[in-house]
Amino acid sequence: MSIMKIAITNSNRGLGKELSTRFDNVVDGFSEECDVFINNRHGSFNQTELLMEVFEKWKYTDKTIVNIVSRSKYPNISKGYLYSASKAALNHLSNSLRLISDKKCRIIDINPGLLESDLPSLSYKEIVDIVVWCIEQPKHIEIGEISVWHNTPYKLISQMKDELK
């Protein structure tokens, strides 16, 4: 699909695997030679640390950083407290870097809700379509943040989750 060189963390499963199928030139993990870095790691606060590391290397380039955050970054959404806190921290750092630094690189946050779940959810393909659209915008356009999820009310999804337990 693309001649850009794309780096994706966790490109071997889930959303990362679907993302890697959409690009012609993909590297697993970070590589400075890439044009786009998709920060798809989930372990604790590693995504936030990785964002800062990549930003320091790319801040004065025309490259693009895409963070896969989560709807759980919003308060009172998830009972996975550390997961939610790590996603909120990632989004907070993105906003700080995006809004108060003298950077040239683009930083895009994608905040998906449930993906590929037994509950009402979106497909990996739907999120990948959004990521690709954001990346392909002209370089002077920075999509700071997109939040997207299934339109079933979250209160109902929470009740469904409780019933499954």
Side-chain angles (χ1 to χ4, degrees):
M1 177 210 127
S2 171
I3 57 171
M4 293 181 285
K5 191 170 187 180
I6 311 288
I8 305 172
T9 57
N10 288 347
S11 65
N12 59 347
R13 65 180 188 268
L15 181 60
K17 185 174 183 177
E18 183 72 27
L19 280 160
S20 69
T21 66
R22 293 290 287 276
F23 301 100
D24 295 329
N25 198 353
V26 174
V27 173
D28 184 35
F30 175 66
S31 171
E32 287 190 55
E33 292 81 41
C34 289
D35 304 296
V36 175
F37 173 63
I38 301 176
N39 188 1
N40 185 45
R41 185 182 315 182
H42 294 283
S44 187
F45 289 84
N46 293 338
Q47 270 187 291
T48 305
E49 293 168 356
L50 191 52
L51 168 59
M52 196 67 223
E53 180 184 322
V54 173
F55 177 78
E56 287 298 327
K57 293 175 181 171
W58 282 12
K59 64 183 165 186
Y60 299 123
T61 70
D62 67 348
K63 298 183 180 199
T64 300
I65 300 168
V66 178
N67 295 303
I68 305 300
V69 187
S70 172
R71 170 171 71 175
S72 72
K73 75 170 186 102
Y74 296 108
N76 304 315
I77 292 291
S78 176
K79 293 178 183 167
Y81 301 116
L82 280 178
Y83 178 80
S84 296
S86 71
K87 294 300 188 172
L90 176 61
N91 182 246
H92 183 82
L93 178 58
S94 292
N95 283 328
S96 294
L97 297 175
R98 194 184 299 94
L99 300 172
I100 62 174
S101 76
D102 61 345
K103 68 159 188 69
K104 291 183 182 175
C105 67
R106 298 187 301 177
I107 302 173
I108 301 166
D109 284 1
I110 309 293
N111 305 311
L114 291 173
L115 298 177
E116 303 267 332
S117 169
D118 293 335
L119 299 169
S121 59
L122 300 179
S123 70
Y124 294 138
K125 181 191 176 309
E126 290 170 315
I127 298 304
V128 170
D129 289 343
I130 292 167
V131 171
V132 170
W133 179 81
C134 289
I135 291 169
E136 290 183 339
Q137 295 306 300
K139 287 290 185 182
H140 72 279
I141 295 176
E142 180 173 31
I143 309 296
E145 186 172 355
I146 290 184
S147 297
V148 58
W149 47 77
H150 194 279
N151 67 357
T152 300
Y154 187 73
K155 186 173 182 178
L156 180 57
I157 290 174
S158 285
Q159 290 170 351
M160 295 167 127
K161 280 183 181 179
D162 290 343
E163 289 170 10
L164 287 173
K165 289 180 182 176

